Amino acid sequence: MALAKRIIPCLDVTDGRVVKGINFLELRDAGDPVEIAKRYDNQGADELTFLDITASSDNRGLILHIIEQVASQVFIPLTVGGGVREVEDVRRLLNAGADKVSINTTAVLNPQMVQDAAARFGSQCIVVAIDAKKVDNQPFDWEVFTHGGRKATGLDAVKWARYMVSLGAGELLVTSMDRDGTKIGFNNPLNRAISDAVDVPLIASGGVGNLQHLVDGVTVGGADAVLAASIFHYGEYTVQQAKKYMRDHNIEVRL
Amino acid sequence: MSKIDIAVVDYGMGNLRSVSKAVEHVADGKSVVVTSNPALIQQAVRVVFPGQGAMPDCMRELDTRHLRDAILHAAANKPFLGICIGMQLLFDHSEEGDTAGLGLFRGDVKRFAAHQVVNNEKLKIPHMGWNQVYQVKNKQSQAHALWQGIADATRFYHVHSYYAAPLDAALIAGETEYPNRFCSVIAKDNIFATQFHVEKSAQAGLQLLRNFVYWKP
């Protein structure tokens, strides 16, 4: 089949800069978002994801401005998340040039908002982001966390994924909090469990340290797209190198 | 008032900024206007008809803005590019919400069948991502003018759960596999329409838009 697996560089943005943390903490500066977006587009990135990781009301305007600038120069799909609370936030981001909007904490606090946004703008632009962590004290393996990984919800990540799709989520962005920033690879059992439970595409996120991890994310974890940040931000690999590696391991990619 | 070269039809559905920015990028300074004003659409030399979201909402918003006549007029008279729902709306009918379309072309817009398995992996819906588009040649064995400079089987960015099934096979100017071949491009006279998002398909999409901007059907 000819549909390519996607490689999605992720840009965590705060105060107008791209940063990268480890296990959701310890931020390190990685550069200007517009410049980085252009670089990844030139390298053949299939999409870009921007996460507004501070997302306080005072920098709302900043991310909109960044998306407007990127969307005028980069003609691949852009997903934006972080601090999306209302249907009106979705509209503002789409109008600024985002193609998809990623909803995380609000989906837990107010699932109706996911349904309303999908009904208004279509499932194709509603991504639900799930931050999941392995837990021992629950009758399930992975628990959903919100507020940038600070709050436990008591929700089973697999059941939650199914529920979000039933409300209209068109894609799931699944981040393993245990793996984020560790460079030891995606949490493939988590991704596989969710990918097999839903019909919509799954983006695997959290833990990429080398190119084999991207391949495993697809072949073992069942991901339709793989998201990575630090391996690209600090020049360890280009997106093109990653795609060639995947192609050499019999994965369909856009080259 | 100066002449409008390209009108992008705004009926409140979808990411018009992406479409207008991509058109501007290849339009060499020609005027590009995003508008819901029927009079401006009527004046424009070319019309781009985008669309995202659910088909019933799209039809309702079109009619709320009294755009039906302006669109039918443009589709009958000038270079016209439909994108995504802007392609689906040209047909008689859609399964999505059992909606009547604009009826320019005979055929139904159908949903991808659920629960298909290909190579042991579940077929995901929406069909989302970069897939190859096979150019369909006309009776004279020629590819359409808008394919100029674009290799056959080039990947374009698709995101949709429904696809158009035209009754008249001669309309088909491009096909995509998911998992079966479906019609992802139609062309007739001054009309060209794509299921995929040309405005989000990197260099290949920009080339197609550039071809449209200079197209003389």
Side-chain angles (χ1 to χ4, degrees):
Chain A
M1 188 163 60
L3 178 63
K5 300 294 178 184
R6 290 168 277 154
I7 295 191
I8 309 177
C10 178
L11 289 69
D12 287 353
V13 179
T14 185
D15 298 327
R17 300 286 289 177
V18 176
V19 294
K20 184 58 205 153
I22 297 172
N23 291 113
F24 285 49
L25 298 165
E26 291 181 57
L27 300 178
R28 194 175 145 193
D29 188 84
D32 173 68
V34 180
E35 290 308 311
I36 293 177
K38 280 159 72 174
R39 189 204 308 155
Y40 292 149
D41 177 33
N42 288 334
Q43 291 177 7
D46 296 311
E47 287 185 36
L48 296 172
T49 290
F50 294 81
L51 294 179
D52 187 357
I53 58 168
T54 42
S56 59
S57 51
D58 47 315
N59 76 358
R60 267 288 87 165
L62 205 50
I63 193 84
L64 289 173
H65 184 61
I66 289 168
I67 297 307
E68 281 176 8
Q69 284 182 285
V70 172
S72 312
Q73 300 172 56
V74 170
F75 302 102
I76 56 175
L78 309 175
T79 300
V80 186
V84 177
R85 292 185 184 87
E86 308 165 4
V87 171
E88 181 60 17
D89 293 330
V90 177
R91 195 189 61 80
R92 271 198 289 268
L93 286 166
L94 294 178
N95 283 350
D99 300 283
K100 304 185 227 179
V101 171
S102 168
I103 305 170
N104 187 339
T105 297
T106 299
V108 174
L109 299 178
N110 177 19
Q112 182 65 40
M113 186 272 190
V114 170
Q115 190 162 27
D116 293 345
R120 173 77 181 81
F121 303 106
S123 289
Q124 85 290 335
C125 70
I126 304 300
V127 182
V128 168
I130 300 175
D131 293 339
K133 195 171 172 177
K134 186 97 172 73
V135 284
D136 299 321
N137 58 340
Q138 296 279 13
F140 46 79
D141 288 334
W142 300 282
E143 183 171 348
V144 178
F145 281 68
T146 59
H147 297 85
R150 290 189 296 276
K151 278 196 190 170
T153 64
L155 295 164
D156 172 355
V158 178
K159 274 192 191 157
W160 177 245
R162 226 184 262 135
Y163 178 52
M164 286 294 102
V165 171
S166 76
L167 293 187
E171 190 170 39
L172 300 173
L173 167 56
V174 179
T175 302
S176 164
M177 294 173 57
D178 305 298
R179 299 301 178 95
D180 190 58
T182 62
K183 297 185 158 264
I184 58 172
F186 291 120
N187 188 333
N188 291 316
L190 166 70
N191 294 331
R192 173 55 74 179
I194 293 180
S195 184
D196 284 350
V198 299
D199 288 326
V200 303
L202 178 143
I203 306 169
S205 157
V208 175
N210 61 47
L211 301 182
Q212 184 59 38
H213 291 154
L214 301 177
V215 170
D216 294 343
V218 171
T219 57
V220 183
D224 301 282
V226 287
L227 181 140
S230 52
I231 61 162
F232 299 133
H233 293 343
Y234 302 114
E236 285 167 66
Y237 303 102
T238 64
V239 176
Q240 189 151 36
Q241 283 173 324
K243 289 184 149 184
K244 284 187 173 148
Y245 188 91
M246 289 173 79
R247 181 198 58 191
D248 292 345
H249 290 74
N250 300 318
I251 294 175
E252 289 253 11
V253 290
R254 176 181 70 109
L255 274 173
Chain B
M1 204 180 75
S2 62
K3 188 182 71 171
I4 295 168
D5 289 303
I6 301 149
V8 178
V9 181
D10 175 9
Y11 52 106
M13 300 304 289
N15 186 0
L16 298 168
R17 187 183 169 86
S18 292
V19 176
S20 67
K21 287 292 160 192
V23 175
E24 278 171 24
H25 194 77
V26 298
D28 298 328
K30 293 185 169 63
S31 61
V32 179
V33 177
V34 177
T35 182
S36 55
N37 181 340
L40 293 184
I41 295 167
Q42 191 114 9
Q43 287 177 24
V45 178
R46 289 158 206 279
V47 169
V48 179
F49 185 43
Q52 272 178 7
M55 180 121 163
D57 296 335
C58 289
M59 279 307 296
R60 193 190 58 233
E61 294 298 323
L62 266 185
D63 282 334
T64 305
R65 289 170 169 76
H66 308 291
L67 285 167
R68 187 186 283 253
D69 290 345
I71 288 174
L72 292 175
H73 178 267
N77 291 289
K78 53 184 93 169
F80 183 96
L81 177 66
I83 302 174
C84 193
I85 302 276
M87 168 186 180
Q88 296 180 3
L89 287 167
L90 303 178
F91 284 84
D92 289 331
H93 177 262
S94 173
E95 286 181 1
E96 190 176 16
D98 190 16
T99 310
L102 293 170
L104 256 68
F105 300 121
R106 305 300 312 280
D108 217 10
V109 176
K110 302 178 174 180
R111 196 170 207 280
F112 286 112
H115 313 302
Q116 299 189 75
V117 174
V118 178
N119 299 333
N120 293 319
E121 291 285 347
K122 181 176 346 191
L123 193 79
K124 301 293 183 77
I125 300 171
H127 170 222
M128 187 184 288
W130 297 81
N131 206 339
Q132 291 174 293
V133 176
Y134 302 100
Q135 300 171 10
V136 176
K137 295 182 166 59
N138 65 12
K139 283 185 195 137
Q140 291 78 41
S141 296
Q142 285 174 326
H144 195 278
L146 293 203
W147 289 127
Q148 198 184 349
I150 300 169
D152 193 15
T154 293
R155 290 180 189 277
F156 287 85
Y157 189 80
H158 298 66
V159 49
H160 60 121
S161 303
Y162 294 81
Y163 64 95
L167 285 187
D168 177 8
L171 277 180
I172 302 172
E175 292 180 320
T176 303
E177 282 177 10
Y178 197 71
N180 304 312
R181 282 206 178 200
F182 66 89
C183 167
S184 55
V185 185
I186 56 168
K188 191 178 186 199
D189 305 330
N190 56 309
I191 298 175
F192 193 89
T194 68
Q195 176 59 62
F196 49 82
H197 287 271
V198 278
E199 79 282 9
K200 285 289 160 179
S201 291
Q203 291 310 314
L206 293 175
Q207 179 65 40
L208 203 156
L209 284 173
R210 193 176 290 118
N211 292 343
F212 174 73
V213 166
Y214 290 99
W215 185 29
K216 294 193 175 78

